[in-house]
Amino acid sequence: MKKRAIVRLLFLLILFYALTMIFPLAIALYQSETEMTRAFCITIAIAAAAALPILLTTRKIAIRFSAREGFMLVFLAWTAACFIGALPYFISRAIPGFTDAVFESVSGFTTTGTSVITNLETLPLSLIFWRAETQWLGGMGMVVLTVALIPFLGAGGFQLIKAEAPGPDQERITPKITETAKILWIIYISLTALEAVLLCIAGMDLFDAIIHAFSTMATGGYSSRNEGLAFWSSPVIMWIVTIFMIIAGFNFALLFRLIQRKWKDVWHSSEARTYFSIIIVSSIIAAVSTGSITNSFFYTTSILTTTGMTAGSQSLLTPLARAVLFLLMFIGGCSGSTAGGIKVIRHVVLFKQTGNELKKILYPRGVFSVRLNNKVGRKDVVYGVAGFVFLYFALIGIASLVIAGSGMDHITSFSVALISLGNIGLDPASLEPFAIFESLPGYVKWTLSFIMIAGRLELWTAFVFFSREYWR
């Protein structure tokens, strides 16, 4: 019964993902884009033909599952979404190869921002919109949206959310997980709409404003222009995007506390204080080095939050500023945000545990605990963080070897692995999107696709299947 329940929910998700193509389909119809209209219609039809028979034959089955089934369901749901998202690229022949289409789709849903497309502005508007929409859906989390829209999941909804974002600092902001998911998405939609309005006021047209609001709040970095924000050459637009990148990289549960005016909850958050300290200190160092406050805050925030947005002003960055930005690639945003990377909270835990180990040398019989949010943290949190960080760097090393096997030099191989797993999307050397993905061998693209999904699901959900204990 559990297997049938999982299959039912999986195909329900597949149908839902396909229905999100209604928006780009409407654009395709309005713009008279025949090939894209055909591609979106075929994709929706394929998903409906596969899902409806399953949903009809399993409609009486109650959807209940444990954390174990939740991990499998989330991983399969993300994989299915990426394959469905690839079909419009492939069917329309905008991206002729299926491997390339899947890679582009994975990069979108995981908010990585890497691409095999070399000339973005030749794409139909509906496909540019779909490309940005995949980032926006993947930013907050497609499973979180599903939990918000499907009230009958009950306690299983929390298992799904934990599997989709298994960080060390999970919390409900309301007693009911469905209400929590709804609040998170309402905040997400509201902030996206607000940014789009501000960008329109600052000089973008409505379409460009929506695309950049999608990619900013998702911390994905996709643009509607080949030049990125440099197309507008506007400091006002750069500051609007910078502010919303900071918000997107912040913990949304704490953001809700701010809306409730619970200032103390935010002030006592170890992660929040560290997050803003990193932004301010690193931006000041870069600004002193470059003499440009706007560029320093923009690129510091873009890298820390793993947005990977560009503004065409990389030539102004000095070696010191670039070194700061490179180090930020190993941090990431806050837990409970749309940002990728290791996350600030894990660095806080490791930093505090390092201090405890130094104290242990001086006082061998002393008992020292990691304090988070002015409370004594659990020891298992430290073990979990240590395991995550080890797996993170081990995976970067393994991926670097796979990429180097294709003939790429070791520096570029390491960089590609780092930006793929951290869902960053920018070349750390040039601070521009890599232009090499189109020429990579197929096996490297499939490897990177898995790595991007693993990074978005924070590793454990993707790697738990390699555990013998899971299958027992």
Side-chain angles (χ1 to χ4, degrees), residues 448-470:
L448 293 177
S449 295
F450 173 77
I451 287 173
M452 287 188 284
I453 294 175
R456 174 58 183 83
L457 299 180
E458 299 203 7
L459 304 190
W460 299 126
T461 300
F463 281 90
V464 70
F465 306 109
F466 295 94
S467 166
R468 195 181 306 174
E469 287 75 12
Y470 179 88

Side-chain angles (χ1 to χ4, degrees), residues 414-469:
F414 175 82
S415 299
V416 169
L418 172 63
I419 67 169
S420 298
L421 185 61
N423 305 133
I424 302 168
L426 278 187
D427 179 356
S430 65
L431 294 178
E432 288 278 5
F434 270 111
I436 60 173
F437 290 100
E438 185 184 25
S439 60
L440 290 175
Y443 76 90
V444 174
K445 291 174 183 174
W446 285 107
T447 301
L448 293 177
S449 295
F450 173 77
I451 287 173
M452 287 188 284
I453 294 175
R456 174 58 183 83
L457 299 180
E458 299 203 7
L459 304 190
W460 299 126
T461 300
F463 281 90
V464 70
F465 306 109
F466 295 94
S467 166
R468 195 181 306 174
E469 287 75 12

Side-chain angles (χ1 to χ4, degrees), residues 111 135-140 188 213-221 248 307 338-339:
T111 72
Q135 286 200 330
W136 190 72
L137 290 171
M140 178 56 67
Y188 189 55
F214 276 0
S215 60
T216 300
M217 288 309 302
T219 63
T307 306
T338 63

Side-chain angles (χ1 to χ4, degrees), residues 169-221:
D169 192 25
Q170 292 292 330
E171 63 170 312
R172 304 186 190 203
I173 57 180
T174 64
K176 293 183 178 181
I177 192 60
T178 301
E179 292 300 317
T180 296
K182 285 180 180 178
I183 289 171
L184 291 175
W185 265 93
I186 289 172
I187 294 173
Y188 189 55
I189 293 171
S190 301
L191 288 170
T192 304
L194 177 60
E195 184 186 0
V197 170
L198 292 176
L199 289 174
C200 282
I201 295 173
M204 284 189 181
D205 62 39
L206 180 60
F207 182 81
D208 288 323
I210 292 173
I211 297 300
H212 287 87
F214 276 0
S215 60
T216 300
M217 288 309 302
T219 63

Side-chain angles (χ1 to χ4, degrees), residues 380-435:
D380 62 313
V381 171
V382 178
Y383 298 148
V385 169
F388 177 91
V389 173
F390 172 80
L391 182 58
Y392 192 89
F393 284 103
L395 190 57
I396 289 176
I398 295 171
S400 298
L401 293 175
V402 173
I403 299 165
S406 67
M408 195 174 293
D409 67 88
H410 62 286
I411 298 297
T412 306
S413 298
F414 175 82
S415 299
V416 169
L418 172 63
I419 67 169
S420 298
L421 185 61
N423 305 133
I424 302 168
L426 278 187
D427 179 356
S430 65
L431 294 178
E432 288 278 5
F434 270 111

Side-chain angles (χ1 to χ4, degrees), residues 173-174 183 253 255-263 265:
I173 57 180
T174 64
I183 289 171
L255 192 59
F256 182 64
R257 303 279 188 243
L258 283 176
I259 295 172
Q260 294 179 310
R261 299 184 180 180
K262 295 182 179 179
W263 316 111
D265 290 356

